[in-house]
Amino acid sequence: MRKGKFVKIAAFAVMLCLAFSVAGCGTGNSDNAGNDPPPDGQTLLPVGTEGYYTLVQKTIDGYDVTSTFVQNYLRLHNGKAYTVGIDFTGREEQEGTYRVADTAVEVVMGVKTYSYTFDAAAETLTYTGKVNRRQVSMQYKYNKNFTASTADGGVDFVSQTELFGEPKEENFYNYCPSAIMEGNNIMHIWYCANKVSGNVTDYVAYRKGELNGAGKWVFGEKQIVLAPTAGTWDERHTCDPSVVKGDFSMGGEKYAYLMAYLGCKTSDNTRNEVGIAVAKEPQGPWVKVDALNPIANFYASPEYSEKSWGYGQPSLISSDNAGKVLLLYSKGVTSGTFAYLEEWDFYDLDHAKKLRETRLSDNGVVNASGEKDVINNADFAYDPHLKRMYCIKEDFGYPTDGGVDWIAGSNTLLYIDLGDKGIDALFGTHRWEVGGQITRNTTGFFRNHNMGIVTDVYGKLCDPYKVPVVYTMSDSKEAYPDWNLGGQWPALHTYRIHGWVLDVK
């Protein structure tokens, strides 16, 4: 542990409209298209071709996003049109009307008309055109046996309800999440938590989430998967996890997952270091790589100082979807605060090799107010489609409330267009651009901190047009006066994990 929505439906729809079957950001609340008779003079599809059409393929600017959907369909009946798209960010529903004009089926959603080409022989509807200034192509096929998904329970990815967590009066905390998607409906999430009520000792916890037919997430029980080891470099805290899938071996055993984490033997937020562990399954068991740990050794560094924060808050991205890994982490040393990048060959952890390293530039880095800033407490993700590196980082300065000045209030999304060099460009001159902010006005929470980008298993964006994040909120003293419940740090037991989605510019 180291440093420390109500979201309007219409706004959420606008934010997600690129993801779903028809772009207009209308709303719908039930699959009732066709319950009323069609308008007078309305030309309809032939009998036997009305009904459900399910998504065959959808591309945005040439990128195929079909696999990101759990379910996506268009229903046409009695002149009414109804669309549903479900992906890991939620469920989007829209209602409108349709009419047939020659070989086209014109679907009207709000003020926008989408002209689908109807192929009666193939029983397909195909649309190509601009949606929110991007070129979109999507094809649906008639599916007479289709059954729409339904489900109860779960939590929206974006909401003022935490994704999971114990009641606050039980005196547990959850923060600093790292999340990867496996397929389009499974989320693995690791985060920092205490094991014993009221005891401020950090462990790495894990939960598995499943997306249901309502577009809501249901998370399993908390599992402690990594703990401090007495008498070693991480005997006080293990936290700030980041996980990537790959091909790793150690001691003759094969492992599929690599975790980087912050460890320390101090209690005053100083002299942090970074370690790694491996596992065959997301839930573990996780095995620390003792021969290499700490992989970022602060005590052995010429930057060492007893009063310095040290090295930590790691982030992992696979270089080759196998054994080569980018390790990024924060440095808080006497010369300043900044992000550092190392590339490692971890195929054989018994003979691991550091391939190259560099300090990431702060050129272009600003906070949510546009003031010059540094990269701090950050997470990273790579988009191979747009060839961009993304960074979500906490903003200085931190707000003060109830005497607490170590919990961030806002975060800024940055990116670098890397071009054809890809990640190699990170080891040269580069400049960050602003991609968005997450603030109190965004989430409704006074403090928003320790953010992690939701990626695929290799640390890449699942969809190049959305940057989903999991983040920690903490109550203000005004919102939750009993800050020192059970003797814990102020507000610590209010730390809970939520989700948000930023559109890509």
Side-chain angles (χ1 to χ4, degrees):
M1 156 184 116
R2 301 327 293 179
K3 253 183 34 144
K5 44 195 176 168
F6 173 73
V7 180
K8 292 183 179 179
I9 294 174
F12 186 36
V14 169
M15 182 173 59
L16 297 182
C17 63
L18 269 178
F20 299 109
S21 59
V22 175
C25 294
T27 59
N29 51 27
S30 63
D31 189 357
N32 59 7
N35 290 342
D36 299 321
D40 292 340
Q42 182 82 25
T43 304
L44 306 180
L45 285 168
V47 175
T49 56
E50 283 199 324
Y52 288 104
Y53 286 75
T54 53
L55 186 68
V56 175
Q57 186 179 47
K58 179 177 179 178
T59 63
I60 302 175
D61 286 345
Y63 183 84
D64 194 331
V65 297
T66 313
S67 63
T68 65
F69 293 101
V70 175
Q71 198 167 85
N72 189 309
Y73 61 87
L74 168 64
R75 188 185 181 205
L76 304 175
H77 188 69
N78 276 358
K80 302 295 180 64
Y82 180 75
T83 67
V84 169
I86 301 171
D87 73 359
F88 72 95
T89 61
R91 176 185 175 108
E92 174 75 357
E93 307 176 27
Q94 301 175 82
E95 286 189 50
T97 61
Y98 88 88
R99 68 185 182 90
V100 176
D102 296 325
T103 59
V105 176
E106 295 181 345
V107 176
V108 180
M109 294 287 176
V111 298
K112 179 72 173 177
T113 299
Y114 301 87
S115 183
Y116 287 81
T117 300
F118 178 56
D119 186 328
E123 298 182 320
T124 58
L125 292 166
T126 304
Y127 171 82
T128 301
K130 288 286 186 178
V131 177
N132 290 352
R133 300 187 299 276
R134 298 193 186 276
Q135 188 67 26
V136 174
S137 175
M138 47 197 172
Q139 185 176 84
Y140 293 84
K141 184 173 178 58
Y142 181 66
N143 188 342
K144 66 180 180 180
N145 297 317
F146 177 73
T147 301
S149 293
T150 58
D152 295 319
V155 61
D156 289 322
F157 184 74
V158 176
S159 74
Q160 278 204 316
T161 302
E162 60 263 20
L163 295 179
F164 50 77
E166 305 87 346
K168 292 175 183 176
E169 60 271 16
E170 292 187 14
N171 220 358
F172 289 93
Y173 53 84
N174 306 290
Y175 78 105
C176 202
S178 172
I180 60 176
M181 293 292 300
E182 200 143 27
N184 57 16
N185 67 335
I186 299 296
M187 183 185 296
H188 302 292
I189 186 164
W190 299 264
Y191 60 100
C192 182
N194 55 335
K195 184 178 180 180
V196 178
S197 172
N199 182 281
V200 186
T201 300
D202 289 351
Y203 295 76
V204 175
Y206 164 82
R207 293 182 193 249
K208 178 181 177 180
E210 296 191 43
L211 185 66
N212 65 23
K216 296 178 183 290
W217 284 96
V218 178
F219 285 90
E221 293 299 313
K222 170 182 172 181
Q223 301 178 53
I224 298 296
V225 296
L226 200 73
T229 301
T232 70
W233 68 278
D234 66 358
E235 65 182 359
R236 181 67 182 92
H237 293 294
T238 55
C239 56
D240 294 10
S242 181
V243 176
V244 71
K245 192 172 185 179
D247 181 7
F248 314 106
S249 66
M250 183 175 68
E253 293 285 325
K254 291 285 188 180
Y255 296 91
Y257 296 89
L258 178 78
M259 177 191 293
Y261 67 98
L262 182 153
C264 66
K265 52 186 178 182
T266 62
S267 298
D268 61 355
N269 288 338
T270 63
R271 290 169 278 174
N272 300 296
E273 302 185 282
V274 176
I276 57 174
V278 289
K280 297 179 180 180
E281 301 291 342
Q283 70 274 16
W286 286 89
V287 182
K288 295 178 182 179
V289 185
D290 291 332
L292 295 176
N293 283 340
I295 195 76
N297 189 327
F298 181 57
Y299 285 80
S301 167
E303 299 172 305
Y304 176 78
S305 166
E306 286 190 3
K307 295 183 179 181
S308 289
W309 183 85
Y311 301 160
Q313 300 158 343
S315 180
L316 296 176
I317 299 171
S318 178
S319 299
D320 61 357
N321 294 358
K324 291 183 180 179
V325 174
L326 298 180
L327 168 63
L328 302 105
Y329 57 95
S330 297
K331 286 190 175 185
V333 293
T334 55
S335 61
T337 298
F338 51 89
Y340 205 72
L341 167 64
E342 299 173 354
E343 185 176 28
W344 285 81
D345 181 344
F346 285 141
Y347 281 98
D348 181 358
L349 288 162
D350 296 322
H351 302 90
K353 299 176 183 177
K354 186 191 293 186
L355 303 176
R356 48 186 173 169
E357 60 187 303
T358 189
R359 171 178 170 171
L360 288 183
S361 172
D362 286 326
N363 190 14
V365 175
V366 295
N367 62 19
S369 299
E371 301 165 334
K372 184 175 175 57
D373 205 357
V374 297
I375 298 175
N376 165 60
N377 202 359
D379 195 31
F380 298 82
Y382 179 60
D383 172 29
H385 178 66
L386 296 179
K387 297 182 174 63
R388 283 182 173 181
M389 177 63 78
Y390 286 93
C391 166
I392 186 86
K393 60 91 184 169
E394 291 187 352
D395 291 345
F396 287 121
Y398 293 167
T400 298
D401 176 68
V404 173
D405 61 359
W406 61 82
I407 308 174
S410 65
N411 292 253
T412 298
L413 179 71
L414 305 166
Y415 66 89
I416 305 170
D417 284 318
L418 300 176
D420 292 337
K421 289 184 177 181
I423 61 174
D424 291 341
L426 293 171
F427 294 89
T429 302
H430 51 267
R431 177 182 177 83
W432 297 95
E433 303 292 338
V434 175
Q437 287 91 24
I438 296 178
T439 68
R440 181 179 187 177
N441 292 335
T442 308
T443 66
F445 299 125
F446 182 65
R447 297 183 185 275
N448 308 278
H449 55 106
N450 291 105
M451 299 204 170
I453 301 174
V454 182
T455 68
D456 70 6
V457 294
Y458 300 113
K460 278 90 169 178
L461 287 188
C462 300
D463 181 334
Y465 304 107
K466 292 185 289 186
V467 181
V469 297
V470 282
Y471 70 96
T472 312
M473 63 75 62
S474 53
D475 281 329
S476 64
K477 188 172 184 178
E478 179 180 290
Y480 200 83
D482 191 5
W483 268 22
N484 294 296
L485 182 67
Q488 285 199 121
W489 289 9
L492 183 58
H493 62 286
T494 74
Y495 287 13
R496 292 296 182 272
I497 295 169
H498 295 251
W500 195 259
V501 181
L502 288 157
D503 283 335
V504 169
K505 293 183 179 180

